[in-house]
Amino acid sequence: SRRKYSFDLSGWRYEDDFIHPFGGGISNADYESIYLEEVDYKYRARQAGERGVLFTSRYNLAHKIDFYFLYNQWKERSYLPVKMRWKIGAGYRFSKDLSLAVYHNWSDLNTGDEAFDQKITSVNLFFSPVSKLDLNFFSNYRRTENKNYGDLRFKISTQVLSALDLILWLKYNDPDFSRVSDEYFSFQVQERVRFFENCFVSAEFISKFYRDEDKTDTQAARVRMEIAW
């Protein structure tokens, strides 16, 4: 049986001259964008000098309803201002194969410019019609001082064959509701194949289509091999 209440508290502190090894230690879950061949990717920003605290909690009511709370406070450097993020949410499980969750997130980045502070409302719907087939629908509505924007995402994941792990993403993104020509649609396929117990090969293909005809549609592919022992 599930616990009625659970929480997690974590904290971290790195000196400004700390050289962060790849994948080592915890840090804040903020993300930054990079661009490769005009396709935007996101990576986790793990910065020397970062210090922060993260508190998450979940409360279960009547085995079907969950309430969530998150508080996050951090500094990217010792001399920079404190940033904060709050998140509340509620979810309902109709059955083990169908659930719905709604979240609201506030962020105060304390940059002196309210245009960077966000309010985000998210709706997540999960449905598993058959064994080894999961469908997820995500909707995000974001608001800042200067603009409203959002995205719709549909995820299909299946593992019909034990060695294969296929994920298909369909995404629609509108960076600014006031400018119709800015939105784009993207198609993404991810495949992870296990050859041996400790050998994995993952492949990914992304295609992005812009509504603005003056912008160039882009495609990108990447392959990665993982060996663990």
Side-chain angles (χ1 to χ4, degrees), residues 82-128:
V82 175
K83 298 183 178 182
M84 291 179 288
R85 183 166 62 102
W86 302 265
K87 183 177 181 180
I88 61 173
Y92 185 82
R93 291 189 306 278
F94 300 92
S95 68
K96 67 176 183 178
D97 300 323
L98 179 62
S99 63
L100 176 68
V102 180
Y103 302 94
H104 193 72
N105 184 92
W106 296 266
S107 64
D108 182 0
L109 300 184
N110 207 359
T111 60
D113 187 349
E114 294 183 355
F116 289 95
D117 299 335
Q118 288 188 352
K119 298 180 179 67
I120 305 173
T121 301
S122 302
V123 177
N124 301 344
L125 176 65
F126 168 79
F127 178 51
S128 180

XYZ file of all heavy atoms in Angstrom, residues 82-128:
386
model
N 18.959 35.608 -4.729
C 18.260 34.343 -4.522
C 17.111 34.205 -5.510
O 16.361 35.157 -5.746
C 17.728 34.257 -3.077
C 16.888 32.997 -2.894
C 18.875 34.284 -2.082
N 16.981 33.020 -6.093
C 15.854 32.695 -6.966
C 14.944 31.700 -6.242
O 15.412 30.874 -5.464
C 16.344 32.103 -8.283
C 17.205 33.058 -9.099
C 17.604 32.431 -10.421
C 18.431 33.391 -11.259
N 18.791 32.820 -12.579
N 13.643 31.770 -6.542
C 12.682 30.911 -5.860
C 11.657 30.355 -6.845
O 11.375 30.965 -7.882
C 11.974 31.688 -4.748
C 12.873 32.046 -3.579
S 12.000 32.980 -2.308
C 11.818 34.557 -3.149
N 11.125 29.196 -6.486
C 10.094 28.556 -7.302
C 9.147 27.800 -6.372
O 9.577 27.101 -5.458
C 10.747 27.601 -8.306
C 9.797 26.927 -9.258
C 10.571 26.285 -10.404
N 11.475 25.245 -9.936
C 11.220 23.927 -10.036
N 10.095 23.519 -10.583
N 12.086 23.051 -9.601
N 7.848 27.950 -6.608
C 6.827 27.220 -5.867
C 5.976 26.431 -6.859
O 5.769 26.848 -7.991
C 5.894 28.167 -5.114
C 6.541 29.085 -4.136
C 6.691 28.899 -2.789
C 7.126 30.352 -4.404
N 7.321 29.971 -2.210
C 7.598 30.885 -3.186
C 7.294 31.107 -5.564
C 8.228 32.119 -3.098
C 7.916 32.335 -5.487
C 8.376 32.821 -4.266
N 5.473 25.304 -6.409
C 4.624 24.492 -7.269
C 3.604 23.749 -6.417
O 3.949 23.127 -5.416
C 5.474 23.485 -8.056
C 4.691 22.634 -9.050
C 5.645 21.724 -9.822
C 4.933 20.877 -10.850
N 5.874 19.999 -11.581
N 2.341 23.829 -6.798
C 1.286 23.062 -6.154
C 0.552 22.280 -7.219
O 0.544 22.654 -8.396
C 0.300 23.964 -5.378
C -0.386 24.941 -6.334
C 1.001 24.699 -4.251
C -1.495 25.743 -5.675
N -0.062 21.177 -6.826
C -0.770 20.365 -7.805
C -1.684 19.360 -7.148
O -1.626 19.116 -5.937
N -2.544 18.795 -7.966
C -3.466 17.763 -7.508
C -3.669 16.762 -8.635
O -3.673 17.133 -9.818
C -4.803 18.364 -7.090
N -3.808 15.506 -8.279
C -4.016 14.464 -9.272
C -5.088 13.487 -8.831
O -5.312 13.284 -7.636
N -5.749 12.884 -9.816
C -6.800 11.902 -9.529
C -6.572 10.674 -10.391
O -6.389 10.784 -11.613
C -8.179 12.492 -9.806
C -9.320 11.573 -9.411
C -9.757 11.511 -8.089
C -9.933 10.745 -10.348
C -10.791 10.664 -7.717
C -10.960 9.894 -9.982
C -11.384 9.858 -8.671
O -12.396 9.007 -8.304
N -6.579 9.499 -9.768
C -6.416 8.243 -10.481
C -7.777 7.568 -10.639
O -8.364 7.092 -9.663
C -5.459 7.319 -9.722
C -4.030 7.775 -9.714
C -3.099 6.713 -9.127
N -3.548 6.302 -7.798
C -3.296 6.966 -6.681
N -2.613 8.109 -6.745
N -3.724 6.528 -5.521
N -8.290 7.562 -11.853
C -9.549 6.890 -12.128
C -9.382 5.379 -12.035
O -10.264 4.661 -11.575
C -10.067 7.273 -13.512
C -10.316 8.743 -13.669
C -9.317 9.582 -14.166
C -11.524 9.309 -13.317
C -9.531 10.942 -14.317
C -11.751 10.667 -13.456
C -10.752 11.489 -13.957
N -8.218 4.912 -12.489
C -7.853 3.499 -12.418
C -6.342 3.430 -12.592
O -5.672 4.454 -12.775
C -8.577 2.685 -13.500
O -8.093 3.039 -14.787
N -5.774 2.219 -12.566
C -4.324 2.096 -12.757
C -3.901 2.471 -14.172
O -2.723 2.724 -14.426
C -3.879 0.671 -12.440
C -4.390 -0.376 -13.419
C -3.835 -1.752 -13.102
C -4.281 -2.783 -14.133
N -3.707 -4.114 -13.861
N -4.865 2.532 -15.104
C -4.558 2.825 -16.501
C -4.979 4.228 -16.928
O -4.774 4.602 -18.081
C -5.240 1.807 -17.425
C -4.791 0.387 -17.155
O -3.596 0.206 -16.858
O -5.633 -0.523 -17.231
N -5.562 5.011 -16.022
C -6.045 6.338 -16.386
C -5.902 7.287 -15.204
O -6.391 7.007 -14.106
C -7.510 6.277 -16.819
C -8.166 7.611 -17.214
C -7.467 8.214 -18.429
C -9.651 7.398 -17.496
N -5.212 8.412 -15.423
C -5.024 9.394 -14.356
C -4.924 10.794 -14.952
O -4.562 10.970 -16.127
C -3.777 9.084 -13.524
O -2.605 9.175 -14.324
N -5.228 11.792 -14.120
C -5.208 13.182 -14.533
C -4.569 14.012 -13.423
O -4.863 13.813 -12.244
C -6.626 13.692 -14.807
C -6.779 15.174 -15.153
C -6.154 15.471 -16.509
C -8.250 15.573 -15.143
N -3.678 14.942 -13.790
C -3.018 15.807 -12.811
C -2.977 17.236 -13.333
O -2.812 17.469 -14.536
C -1.600 15.317 -12.518
N -3.134 18.197 -12.411
C -3.086 19.618 -12.738
C -2.082 20.286 -11.796
O -2.115 20.056 -10.582
C -4.467 20.281 -12.602
C -4.371 21.768 -12.948
C -5.487 19.589 -13.503
N -1.189 21.109 -12.349
C -0.162 21.790 -11.558
C -0.185 23.288 -11.862
O -0.534 23.710 -12.959
C 1.229 21.253 -11.881
C 1.416 19.784 -11.658
C 1.232 18.879 -12.696
C 1.779 19.285 -10.415
C 1.401 17.518 -12.500
C 1.952 17.935 -10.208
C 1.766 17.049 -11.256
O 1.930 15.711 -11.058
N 0.239 24.061 -10.857
C 0.462 25.486 -11.076
C 1.807 25.850 -10.464
O 2.102 25.484 -9.321
C -0.645 26.336 -10.459
C -0.604 27.756 -10.923
N -0.962 28.127 -12.205
C -0.224 28.899 -10.299
C -0.818 29.441 -12.333
N -0.369 29.922 -11.193
N 2.608 26.556 -11.231
C 3.985 26.848 -10.850
C 4.224 28.359 -10.894
O 3.845 29.034 -11.855
C 4.943 26.134 -11.818
C 6.392 26.315 -11.444
O 6.971 25.520 -10.729
N 7.005 27.382 -11.954
N 4.846 28.888 -9.827
C 5.282 30.280 -9.797
C 6.802 30.302 -9.724
O 7.407 29.514 -8.998
C 4.755 31.021 -8.567
C 3.278 31.168 -8.472
C 2.512 32.213 -8.897
C 2.372 30.243 -7.868
N 1.192 31.989 -8.593
C 1.071 30.789 -7.968
C 2.525 28.997 -7.256
C -0.046 30.144 -7.482
C 1.408 28.337 -6.776
C 0.141 28.913 -6.886
N 7.425 31.227 -10.404
C 8.869 31.395 -10.301
C 9.210 32.870 -10.143
O 8.626 33.724 -10.809
C 9.590 30.824 -11.533
O 9.231 31.540 -12.704
N 10.124 33.163 -9.237
C 10.634 34.513 -9.012
C 12.148 34.449 -9.164
O 12.869 34.014 -8.262
C 10.245 34.996 -7.611
C 10.707 36.427 -7.341
O 11.315 37.024 -8.249
O 10.467 36.939 -6.238
N 12.632 34.845 -10.335
C 14.057 34.734 -10.639
C 14.864 35.910 -10.114
O 16.085 35.920 -10.228
C 14.256 34.583 -12.146
C 13.567 33.351 -12.755
C 13.905 33.248 -14.238
C 13.949 32.076 -12.026
N 14.176 36.914 -9.575
C 14.852 38.006 -8.859
C 15.944 38.656 -9.705
O 17.058 38.909 -9.238
C 15.452 37.488 -7.554
C 15.561 38.578 -6.494
O 15.197 39.721 -6.743
N 16.060 38.222 -5.337
N 15.621 38.900 -10.967
C 16.586 39.516 -11.874
C 16.401 41.021 -11.993
O 17.177 41.687 -12.680
C 16.455 38.905 -13.282
O 15.125 39.150 -13.772
C 16.718 37.412 -13.247
N 15.359 41.560 -11.347
C 15.050 42.970 -11.502
C 14.168 43.243 -12.696
O 13.738 44.368 -12.926
N 13.878 42.215 -13.487
C 13.017 42.338 -14.660
C 11.894 41.319 -14.531
O 12.126 40.109 -14.618
C 13.823 42.091 -15.940
C 13.005 42.389 -17.199
O 11.784 42.586 -17.093
O 13.605 42.411 -18.288
N 10.657 41.798 -14.312
C 9.536 40.891 -14.119
C 9.211 40.075 -15.355
O 8.459 39.098 -15.281
C 8.297 41.682 -13.683
C 8.428 42.328 -12.307
C 7.155 43.035 -11.889
O 6.225 43.099 -12.722
O 7.091 43.514 -10.750
N 9.780 40.444 -16.494
C 9.517 39.695 -17.723
C 10.049 38.274 -17.635
O 9.607 37.388 -18.375
C 10.136 40.411 -18.926
N 10.998 38.016 -16.725
C 11.568 36.674 -16.600
C 10.807 35.818 -15.590
O 11.014 34.604 -15.536
C 13.044 36.767 -16.198
C 13.935 37.279 -17.289
C 14.259 38.623 -17.358
C 14.422 36.422 -18.261
C 15.083 39.107 -18.358
C 15.242 36.886 -19.273
C 15.575 38.243 -19.327
N 9.966 36.414 -14.759
C 9.180 35.660 -13.791
C 7.993 35.013 -14.505
O 7.346 35.635 -15.340
C 8.684 36.567 -12.666
C 9.846 37.182 -11.903
O 10.932 36.577 -11.913
O 9.658 38.262 -11.312
N 7.702 33.767 -14.148
C 6.689 33.003 -14.869
C 5.610 32.470 -13.946
O 5.840 32.207 -12.777
C 7.334 31.810 -15.591
C 8.165 32.146 -16.784
C 8.587 30.890 -17.529
O 8.376 29.768 -17.081
N 9.174 31.057 -18.686
N 4.429 32.290 -14.533
C 3.346 31.522 -13.935
C 2.955 30.469 -14.962
O 2.648 30.798 -16.108
C 2.156 32.411 -13.580
C 2.451 33.489 -12.545
C 1.203 34.313 -12.262
C 1.490 35.369 -11.206
N 2.430 36.387 -11.683
N 2.993 29.207 -14.574
C 2.761 28.111 -15.512
C 1.652 27.216 -14.975
O 1.699 26.767 -13.829
C 4.032 27.266 -15.731
C 5.197 28.147 -16.171
C 3.776 26.182 -16.770
C 6.516 27.394 -16.240
N 0.651 26.957 -15.805
C -0.403 26.003 -15.482
C -0.259 24.799 -16.411
O -0.204 24.968 -17.636
C -1.791 26.628 -15.645
O -1.902 27.765 -14.785
C -2.877 25.628 -15.282
N -0.183 23.609 -15.829
C 0.047 22.385 -16.607
C -1.046 21.363 -16.338
O -1.516 21.229 -15.202
C 1.411 21.772 -16.257
O 2.458 22.689 -16.483
N -1.420 20.655 -17.399
C -2.377 19.548 -17.298
C -1.721 18.312 -17.886
O -1.239 18.349 -19.028
C -3.685 19.866 -18.043
C -4.632 18.671 -17.983
C -4.358 21.107 -17.466
N -1.676 17.223 -17.116
C -1.071 15.971 -17.566
C -2.112 14.861 -17.529
O -2.716 14.605 -16.482
C 0.114 15.574 -16.671
C 1.206 16.629 -16.657
O 1.241 17.504 -17.518
N 2.078 16.554 -15.676
N -2.306 14.197 -18.646
C -3.254 13.085 -18.738
C -2.503 11.829 -19.147
O -1.767 11.838 -20.134
C -4.349 13.391 -19.762
C -5.370 12.281 -20.028
C -6.194 11.994 -18.773
C -6.284 12.652 -21.203
N -2.684 10.756 -18.370
C -2.033 9.475 -18.664
C -3.097 8.430 -18.952
O -4.102 8.319 -18.245
C -1.181 9.019 -17.477
C -0.705 7.594 -17.580
C 0.374 7.272 -18.383
C -1.360 6.578 -16.900
C 0.810 5.953 -18.496
C -0.935 5.261 -16.998
C 0.155 4.950 -17.807
N -2.853 7.621 -20.019
C -3.792 6.565 -20.392
C -3.009 5.393 -20.966
O -2.145 5.569 -21.824
C -4.803 7.078 -21.419
C -5.777 6.036 -21.887
C -6.499 5.266 -20.981
C -5.986 5.829 -23.241
C -7.389 4.304 -21.408
C -6.885 4.877 -23.686
C -7.590 4.112 -22.764
N -3.300 4.203 -20.459
C -2.641 2.995 -20.949
C -3.722 2.020 -21.425
O -4.276 1.245 -20.642
C -1.797 2.354 -19.841
O -1.157 1.179 -20.303
